[in-house]
Amino acid sequence: MLKLINFEIKKVFSGKISYIILILIAVLIGLYSLIFEKISYEKLYDYSVGLLAETKNAQNGIDLNSTSDTIEIQNLIDTSVNKIAFCVENNIPVNLSNVWFFMEKINMLYLVIIIGVLLLLSRLYYIELRDETLTRLFFSKCGFLKILISKIIATFIISIGSVFFIYFCSFMLGLLRFGFNGNVLKTVVELNGQFEIVNIIRIIIYQILVILLQINLYASFFVLLITITKSDKLSLILIALWVFFNNNISLMLNNKYLEKLLPFKALSLGYKELLEKETSFIVVMLVFTIMFYILSIILNYYFGNKKKYL
């Protein structure tokens, strides 16, 4: 089994394309870091006070004789003013300027991370379909179920490894760009309608956990699609469409029961729900991940290559 898993993982990185995908993601993270301003540690708190004054001016400049859009803008600015005031009151910088702050902002590249990892996983099945690897394995003494399980485990390992590689790159690039800068670790997050002080490393850990669960759910469905369509390209297009339109699908579900039962709402949630101890969405993601993998094994076993080659 270990040899099979090792074989599957090596297969993904047997060509240049996998390395190109990882390098492009790393370059994008580097370019993304240029969006954020590097502020010296000594100026962080003064910056927060100045930002509070600017935001209050914007708050006073809103015309209240207005449309729903203006009221929405007013609410956003009010929330921003309250958050900045809370930060100033508790002597916490509003916008940190260090490696930890940058790593926390990596979640804004969510779509890039998801699609990048799925592209890597598609290599595993592209090579299999191109070289008929599975065909040759079926004629060996490996065993059908062992082959399928090794592929699923390899998919799981590659997705986890890719996410940690991406966050390692964000740490190294953030370190070069911003440094530790006083090593400020506290940040302010709005939880359950109130502002709370949270350790930023805790947020990063929760972000990694959530994105790992989300990627593995998409990966399990990707495996199921390949089992059904026997096409890595079509499966990749279909799963990419789900990734892009997941939030739209989630908004279309007005039934609260369906929101809790189906994975669309769960995939649109993030680390804040973990901080608020709303963990039911994790259960939904795990259940659907396991279900998709089990369906893949059943479909392969009864309708797939076993009957064709054995």
Side-chain angles (χ1 to χ4, degrees):
M1 177 69 81
L2 289 176
K3 286 183 179 179
L4 279 172
I5 294 168
N6 186 48
F7 172 74
E8 297 296 341
I9 294 171
K10 282 183 177 179
K11 192 163 58 178
V12 173
F13 296 97
S14 61
K16 294 179 182 178
I17 187 67
S18 297
Y19 297 100
I20 291 172
I21 291 169
L22 292 174
I23 290 169
L24 285 175
I25 293 174
V27 169
L28 185 61
I29 292 171
L31 293 173
Y32 177 66
S33 71
L34 299 177
I35 295 173
F36 302 99
E37 183 182 359
K38 185 177 180 179
I39 308 168
S40 67
Y41 180 67
E42 293 75 18
K43 294 180 179 179
L44 277 172
Y45 296 102
D46 294 337
Y47 176 84
S48 299
V49 174
L51 187 61
L52 177 61
E54 289 177 12
T55 315
K56 280 186 174 179
N57 288 335
Q59 183 185 38
N60 295 330
I62 293 290
D63 181 11
L64 291 178
N65 296 326
S66 55
T67 63
S68 59
D69 289 339
T70 310
I71 293 170
E72 187 176 348
I73 293 170
Q74 176 74 47
N75 291 335
L76 287 171
I77 293 178
D78 288 347
T79 302
S80 182
V81 167
N82 293 334
K83 181 178 179 179
I84 298 169
F86 183 88
C87 290
V88 171
E89 182 183 344
N90 289 277
N91 204 29
I92 296 173
V94 176
N95 290 325
L96 304 181
S97 182
N98 60 23
V99 61
W100 307 118
F101 172 73
F102 177 62
M103 284 185 73
E104 186 234 337
K105 293 300 179 185
I106 286 298
N107 72 319
M108 301 299 291
L109 296 177
Y110 172 79
L111 287 176
V112 173
I113 295 172
I114 295 286
I115 297 300
V117 175
L118 288 172
L119 278 170
L120 278 176
L121 292 175
S122 72
R123 290 287 300 162
L124 177 64
Y125 297 94
Y126 162 75
I127 294 170
E128 173 193 306
L129 294 168
R130 183 195 67 187
D131 298 341
E132 296 186 343
T133 309
L134 194 58
T135 306
R136 293 198 297 273
L137 283 172
F138 279 140
F139 284 108
S140 71
K141 298 178 181 179
C142 294
F144 181 80
L145 191 59
K146 190 180 288 187
I147 294 168
L148 286 175
I149 291 174
S150 69
K151 287 188 176 297
I152 289 171
I153 294 173
T155 300
F156 185 72
I157 292 171
I158 291 166
S159 62
I160 289 177
S162 302
V163 170
F164 277 103
F165 170 81
I166 290 166
Y167 273 89
F168 174 75
C169 284
S170 70
F171 174 78
M172 295 304 296
L173 291 167
L175 193 62
L176 289 171
R177 175 85 169 83
F178 305 103
F180 283 102
N181 202 1
N183 201 23
V184 179
L185 292 175
K186 291 180 180 178
T187 188
V188 173
V189 179
E190 186 178 2
L191 301 173
N192 297 313
Q194 296 182 334
F195 296 113
E196 294 186 22
I197 301 169
V198 181
N199 188 301
I200 202 165
I201 295 180
R202 185 182 173 196
I203 290 177
I204 294 167
I205 292 170
Y206 283 0
Q207 279 182 349
I208 293 172
L209 173 61
V210 171
I211 202 166
L212 279 173
L213 289 166
Q214 291 172 336
I215 282 176
N216 276 290
L217 195 157
Y218 284 124
S220 65
F221 187 65
F222 182 59
V223 173
L224 180 61
L225 284 174
I226 288 177
T227 299
I228 296 169
T229 64
K230 304 299 180 188
S231 168
D232 61 304
K233 292 183 180 63
L234 177 59
S235 299
L236 188 59
I237 291 170
L238 291 173
I239 197 69
L241 287 172
W242 182 8
V243 174
F244 281 115
F245 294 107
N246 179 74
N247 288 344
N248 300 81
I249 297 170
S250 178
L251 291 172
M252 288 170 60
L253 294 174
N254 295 321
N255 188 304
K256 289 186 178 180
Y257 179 75
L258 287 177
E259 283 185 355
K260 291 180 180 179
L261 188 64
L262 297 175
F264 306 107
K265 182 71 174 178
L267 286 165
S268 66
L269 302 178
Y271 72 89
K272 283 188 179 181
E273 282 69 30
L274 268 182
L275 289 171
E276 292 171 346
K277 298 183 173 27
E278 295 290 336
T279 56
S280 59
F281 73 104
I282 291 180
V283 176
V284 172
M285 285 192 283
L286 285 172
V287 167
F288 272 88
T289 299
I290 294 168
M291 183 183 74
F292 288 146
Y293 278 135
I294 290 173
L295 281 173
S296 300
I297 291 171
I298 291 171
L299 289 175
N300 263 298
Y301 189 82
Y302 286 105
F303 306 107
N305 292 309
K306 184 181 179 182
K307 289 187 177 180
K308 187 175 178 180
Y309 298 114
L310 294 184

